Amino acid sequence: MKKLILMLCAFALGGTAIGAGAEINIVPKPLAVTPRQGEFRLTPQSGIAVGKDAELHRAAELFAEQVAPVLGGELKAGAQGAVTVSVDPSLGAEAYTLDVTPEGIAIRGGSAQGAFYGLQSLRQLVIDGKGTIPAVSIEDKPYFEYRGGMLDPCRHFWTVNEIKEYIDILAMHKMNRFHWHLTEDQGWRIEIKRYPELTRVGSIRKETLVGQYMHSNEYDKTPYGGYYTQKEIREIVKYAAERFVTVIPEIELPGHAVAALASYPWLGCKGEGYEVRTTWGISTEVYCPGKESTFEFLQNVLAEVIELFPSKYIHIGGDECPKESWKECPLCQKRIKDEGLKDEYELQSYTVHRIEKWLREHGREIIGWDEILEGGISKTATIMSWRGSQGGIAAAKAGNHVIMTPNTHCYLDYYQTNTPVYEPQGIGGFLPMSRVYQLDPYDQLNDEERSYILGVQANLWTEYIATFTHVKHMLLPRLAAVAEVGWAYDRKDFEDFRHRMTSLRKTYDAAGLNYATYFFDGLDEVKKEK
Ligand code: ACM
Ligand code: ZN
């Protein structure tokens, strides 16, 4: 009965109803949807007119591939067609309009990126209506500039094709940043030509914990590894750019560095005895900022990183760095004394500042996890708030830019229902769709402080996720809720979203994506704590 009431509510509230049943259901929610009279039937013969613009041509070809399963063939992109796609610079770069009449379809984007988003909206309508699209005028633009998804290929490794699929999924949700967490205690995943041991040694752990960290002593006795060559990285950066996704690499420092220390032991305070970590959690072994050679190494690594990634931002990590080894290290203590630092927290911020300065001299800006606030940060660092929103709120109040990715709403490795016994094994937590959707990046901020919030991001750590099918099970459909907060913060409405999601689900199906069904089955509602 409860489900029936929910379904009736969803029908009453959801989508933009037109005539007898045809609806405009798009996720994330467009800014303005005006129903018109009639409909247009798209067939493989309709054609897409894109003019000579190579980016538009590529966006149209991608769209043609994406709707081919429901049209029964591929539309051709060329000089003529019933679908026209063009650029109108009077619109914002990511904005678009989409007009469907009985005669044809017109998409205008503020740039090729805006046109791409118009085509992604059309993709959902075509799939929902099996080729018949209700006449409509849509005006749309994103609320937040930064809309990201993070993936961890260190705890478990993802192939080039899987990374491309992750990027496709982001682009489908009109997300524009892929945060690629490339270095960790459990594996170094990026080829650095100057330091071959990072991948020869650091990309392989000798075995992996089986079962839950804290409760298990069992290991699988099977070496596990993988890394991306520079050629593969260039290919992925290009693939992402073609989908208007910027790849932001994360090179973790000063903590989460055991794989680097195992490769080059002189990077650590102790200088010997490291091995790539085989279990999860946090290691007390971290880079030694007492040695100049550590900075030389990090700068040499970053010099190769910035050649590979055109992104303005480089993520330098900064989270979960225990200070024990620095307390016992004469060189770290000497650095604290020589630099007039108060304690090990200031030694961490000294390290981050030095790296930030080097990156700025090379035309880049840093993003760091919210721990980089401890010990003081520069005005130009962007904070990624993960330990809830408090770090982000403090940073915005201090005038630093912020990306909100609080574990309370954005950690998609957490369980999706409150009966996790029916879910694949996970890290813990409880993050149903409705709670993700409640993310408020502006919580506790006044108008001026709000201007420092760049946007939102979903994070997917993979300690307990060993297959890409499982990645998608965790990511979908919850990524859609993060995408809607990022794109449509000013117009979000959960019951309306729930209804529109039934259409996005068809787009997942047409793309052959697996996803979790708890939300669709009404199994993920937030229940009262016992
Ligand atoms: C993090 O989850 N340690 C950033
Ligand atoms: Zn040291």
Side-chain angles (χ1 to χ4, degrees), residues 352-361 366 378 380-381:
V352 171
H353 276 276
R354 257 185 88 164
I355 295 300
E356 181 185 11
K357 181 166 176 290
W358 186 91
L359 279 166
R360 286 191 73 77
E361 283 163 8
I366 63 160
S378 74
T380 44

Side-chain angles (χ1 to χ4, degrees), residues 463-517:
E463 286 92 333
Y464 297 92
I465 302 176
T467 67
F468 204 68
T469 302
H470 192 181
V471 163
K472 287 178 278 188
H473 178 87
M474 303 308 274
L475 193 64
L476 301 175
R478 290 183 294 179
L479 184 72
V482 180
E484 182 138 315
V485 176
W487 184 276
Y489 173 74
D490 54 346
R491 47 202 185 257
K492 72 191 181 88
D493 170 329
F494 187 62
E495 284 311 320
D496 180 54
F497 171 73
R498 182 186 281 287
H499 182 69
R500 280 179 287 112
M501 281 303 292
T502 57
S503 297
L504 184 61
R505 180 181 190 172
K506 294 179 199 164
T507 302
Y508 293 166
D509 288 333
L513 294 167
N514 71 277
Y515 48 86
T517 59

Side-chain angles (χ1 to χ4, degrees), residues 219-469:
Y219 289 80
D220 65 5
K221 302 187 176 63
T222 308
Y224 185 93
Y227 68 92
Y228 307 101
T229 64
Q230 293 201 351
K231 183 161 174 280
E232 288 170 333
I233 288 169
R234 286 185 206 280
E235 179 186 325
I236 285 167
V237 168
K238 177 167 177 287
Y239 185 91
E242 288 170 359
R243 286 145 185 84
F244 303 96
V245 173
T246 301
V247 185
I248 300 176
E250 181 181 356
I251 306 297
E252 273 266 23
L253 62 99
H256 287 286
V258 176
L261 271 51
S263 311
Y264 295 100
W266 45 265
L267 290 167
C269 292
K270 206 167 63 194
E272 60 182 12
Y274 310 110
E275 67 171 25
V276 181
R277 193 169 167 89
T278 55
T279 186
W280 315 128
I282 303 170
S283 172
T284 51
E285 303 297 350
V286 301
Y287 288 117
C288 174
K291 300 175 190 169
E292 275 309 290
S293 52
T294 301
F295 288 95
E296 217 174 278
F297 166 85
L298 290 170
Q299 289 164 7
N300 288 335
V301 166
L302 289 169
E304 293 193 31
V305 167
I306 61 178
E307 284 299 310
L308 293 168
F309 295 93
S311 160
K312 167 173 97 166
Y313 294 115
I314 304 293
H315 200 307
I316 53 83
D319 60 320
E320 299 177 324
C321 180
K323 311 290 187 286
E324 281 91 330
S325 71
W326 297 352
K327 285 192 176 134
E328 285 163 19
C329 170
L331 292 175
C332 284
Q333 291 306 312
K334 180 169 183 318
R335 178 80 78 190
I336 288 174
K337 192 155 164 281
D338 290 353
E339 298 292 335
L341 307 173
K342 199 167 75 204
D343 56 17
E344 288 74 21
Y345 286 91
E346 288 200 359
L347 181 56
Q348 160 138 349
S349 60
Y350 165 86
T351 308
V352 171
H353 276 276
R354 257 185 88 164
I355 295 300
E356 181 185 11
K357 181 166 176 290
W358 186 91
L359 279 166
R360 286 191 73 77
E361 283 163 8
H362 292 78
R364 307 304 175 97
E365 294 181 24
I366 63 160
I367 299 175
W369 299 111
D370 56 61
E371 285 93 331
I372 71 167
L373 286 162
E374 297 160 7
I377 56 163
S378 74
K379 274 273 166 266
T380 44
T382 294
I383 296 300
M384 196 166 260
S385 189
W386 77 276
R387 295 176 299 175
S389 298
Q390 286 313 313
I393 292 168
K397 287 184 185 297
N400 282 85
H401 283 126
V402 174
I403 297 152
M404 282 293 189
T405 180
N407 57 352
T408 47
H409 296 80
C410 296
Y411 269 42
L412 302 190
D413 54 336
Y414 290 6
Y415 286 119
Q416 314 189 43
T417 73
N418 66 356
T419 44
V421 65
Y422 298 116
E423 297 186 44
Q425 190 199 13
I427 197 163
F430 172 48
L431 198 48
M433 188 77 135
S434 54
R435 193 167 284 173
V436 177
Y437 199 84
Q438 283 163 8
L439 168 65
D440 180 0
Y442 284 164
D443 186 29
Q444 301 174 45
L445 298 176
N446 66 27
D447 282 352
E448 212 256 309
E449 292 155 1
R450 288 176 179 205
S451 67
Y452 291 103
I453 306 294
L454 298 180
V456 296
Q457 179 173 288
N459 288 347
L460 196 50
W461 303 104
T462 62
E463 286 92 333
Y464 297 92
I465 302 176
T467 67
F468 204 68
T469 302

